[in-house]
């Protein structure tokens, strides 16, 4: 009886340890930022709204990407600053040609683009909320 109970408890605990189910955008849920999943649709929206694109290049298996989704992208300051951009997530495994087009060599990579697709700036690697918030503020004010 104890063995059955122990196995049941262990299995129940392990059930929550795997990757999270995909969110509505086809990626791991990343909070209240309204991430788009279509790069082309995001470019069109950015052009129409006269905004820059905030492009998050990630992969579902990437630990630092998951960490940014759970911390950086959920920070109230970052959420506030991201509203000045059109945010779009790009899974590098599903969109390798786009990742190659922007020379993404490591993830996470956050790239700011003009609506025509030209690069303004980028940050690569895990970044904390204060740094990303300050950076987004600087780019938006240019």
């Amino acid at each position: 009886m104890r063995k059955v109970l122990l196995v049941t408890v262990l299995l129940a605990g392990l059930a929550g340890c795997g990757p999270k189910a995909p969110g509505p955008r086809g990626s791991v849920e990343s909070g209240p930022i309204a991430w788009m999943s279509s790069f082309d649709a995001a470019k069109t929206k950015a052009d129409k709204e006269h905004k820059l694109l905030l492009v998050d290049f990630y992969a579902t298996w990437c630990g630092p990407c998951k960490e940014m989704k759970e911390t950086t992208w959920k920070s109230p300051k970052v959420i506030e600053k991201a509203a000045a951009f059109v945010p779009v997530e790009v899974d590098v495994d599903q969109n390798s040609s786009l990742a190659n087009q922007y020379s993404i060599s490591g993830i996470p990579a956050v790239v700011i683009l003009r609506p025509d697709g030209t690069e303004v700036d980028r940050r690569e690697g895990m970044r904390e909320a204060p740094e990303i918030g300050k950076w987004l503020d600087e780019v938006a004010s240019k």
Side-chain angles (χ1 to χ4, degrees):
M1 176 71 168
R2 284 186 179 179
K3 288 182 184 178
V4 171
L5 180 58
L6 179 60
V7 169
T8 303
V9 169
L10 286 174
L11 289 175
L14 289 174
C17 293
K20 292 183 179 181
R25 296 171 313 283
S27 67
V28 176
E29 183 58 42
S30 53
I33 294 176
W35 295 102
M36 296 182 71
S37 58
S38 167
F39 183 74
D40 290 334
K43 282 177 58 178
T44 300
K45 181 176 181 178
D47 188 43
K48 184 177 180 181
E49 296 179 5
H50 306 289
K51 290 184 175 181
L52 297 172
L53 287 110
L54 171 64
V55 187
D56 179 19
F57 287 93
Y58 77 100
T60 57
W61 49 263
C62 169
C65 300
K66 291 177 185 180
E67 186 176 346
M68 280 188 72
K69 288 181 187 308
E70 290 301 317
T71 59
T72 305
W73 298 127
K74 289 187 177 179
S75 160
K77 181 177 180 177
V78 172
I79 293 163
E80 177 188 333
K81 303 300 177 185
F85 300 84
V86 175
V88 60
E89 291 182 317
V90 176
D91 184 323
V92 297
D93 292 326
Q94 294 179 6
N95 298 289
S96 59
S97 62
L98 192 57
N100 288 333
Q101 178 182 341
Y102 287 100
S103 302
I104 302 300
S105 58
I107 52 173
V110 183
V111 182
I112 305 293
L113 303 173
R114 290 182 184 88
D116 67 3
T118 58
E119 185 172 329
V120 174
D121 204 357
R122 71 171 56 205
R123 293 291 185 268
E124 294 181 350
M126 171 60 201
R127 302 298 172 134
E128 299 290 332
E131 179 185 353
I132 291 292
K134 182 180 176 188
W135 176 60
L136 293 177
D137 213 16
E138 290 169 0
V139 172
S141 67
K142 288 183 182 177

